């Protein structure tokens, strides 16, 4: 399972890097082209599509890397058993939120099949599909994080 997770992480990192570079190039090119009077209208839609996917794939990369933002200044004042309980509650809330994003994300996709991008002959559903797919990836990553938090002994909790 670890090998599959590492392979998915590496694929996500490569894909995120490609999309980030693509967005930067397309936005710059589009701005220059518009300035000289030769706009590249489709570049904005392609950048929007890439940005939607980059946001959710990047979020999964952050969860897998343990880089989630935590406001632990207050939590670290509590005894270690309370810290663990609070973390487990926050983990459960995150999983619940991701489940909501998955369910409503697929509903959003089903409602956007007939809508197309302004300049592309492509369904807008490909953009909205980033929400449930990315949330599903994050959900599995968060389950792994939650399992790790659950197994972590109470004595190891606290400021690092």
């Amino acid at each position: 399972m670890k090998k599959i997770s590492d392979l998915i992480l590496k694929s996500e990192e490569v894909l995120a890097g490609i999309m980030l570079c693509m967005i930067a190039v397309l936005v710059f090119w589009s701005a220059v082209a518009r300035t000289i009077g030769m706009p590249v209208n489709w570049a904005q839609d392609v950048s929007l599509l890439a940005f939607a996917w980059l946001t959710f794939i990047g979020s999964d990369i952050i969860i897998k890397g343990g880089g989630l933002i935590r406001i632990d200044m207050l939590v670290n004042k509590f005894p270690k058993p309370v810290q663990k309980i609070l973390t487990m509650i926050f983990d459960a809330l995150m999983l619940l939120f991701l489940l909501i994003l998955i369910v409503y994300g697929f509903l959003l996709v089903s409602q956007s099949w007939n809508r197309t991008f302004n300049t592309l002959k492509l369904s807008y559903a490909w953009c909205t599909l980033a929400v449930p797919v990315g949330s599903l990836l994050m959900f599995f990553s968060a389950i792994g994080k939650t399992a790790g938090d659950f197994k972590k002994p109470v004595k190891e909790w606290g400021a690092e």
Side-chain angles (χ1 to χ4, degrees), residues 33-140:
R34 189 175 23 248
T35 302
I36 61 173
M38 299 172 54
V40 182
N41 296 328
W42 59 266
Q44 181 180 356
D45 286 340
V46 173
S47 295
L48 174 70
L49 178 63
F51 186 74
W53 282 94
L54 177 62
T55 300
F56 284 91
I57 290 174
S59 297
D60 187 45
I61 293 169
I62 289 171
I63 288 175
K64 285 180 179 165
L68 284 176
I69 296 173
R70 293 179 189 238
I71 302 176
D72 54 6
M73 185 170 58
L74 181 63
V75 174
N76 286 340
K77 305 272 187 217
F78 290 111
K80 292 181 180 191
V82 175
Q83 291 179 28
K84 182 172 183 172
I85 290 169
L86 286 174
T87 300
M88 297 307 298
I89 290 169
F90 295 146
D91 288 349
L93 290 172
M94 182 171 60
L95 289 170
L96 177 65
F97 177 70
L98 289 171
L99 278 174
I100 291 168
L101 282 178
I102 292 165
V103 170
Y104 284 99
F106 279 117
L107 288 173
L108 180 65
V109 170
S110 69
Q111 294 171 356
S112 60
W113 275 116
N114 294 327
R115 179 181 172 198
T116 58
F117 283 95
N118 291 332
T119 59
L120 304 174
K121 302 282 189 228
L122 186 66
S123 172
Y124 200 76
W126 290 106
C127 187
T128 59
L129 191 61
V131 176
V133 171
S135 298
L136 197 59
L137 289 169
M138 286 187 275
F139 183 79
F140 288 118

Side-chain angles (χ1 to χ4, degrees), residues 16-29:
I18 290 169
M19 285 188 290
L20 186 61
C21 291
M22 184 175 74
I23 291 168
V25 168
L26 286 174
V27 169
F28 179 76
W29 179 36

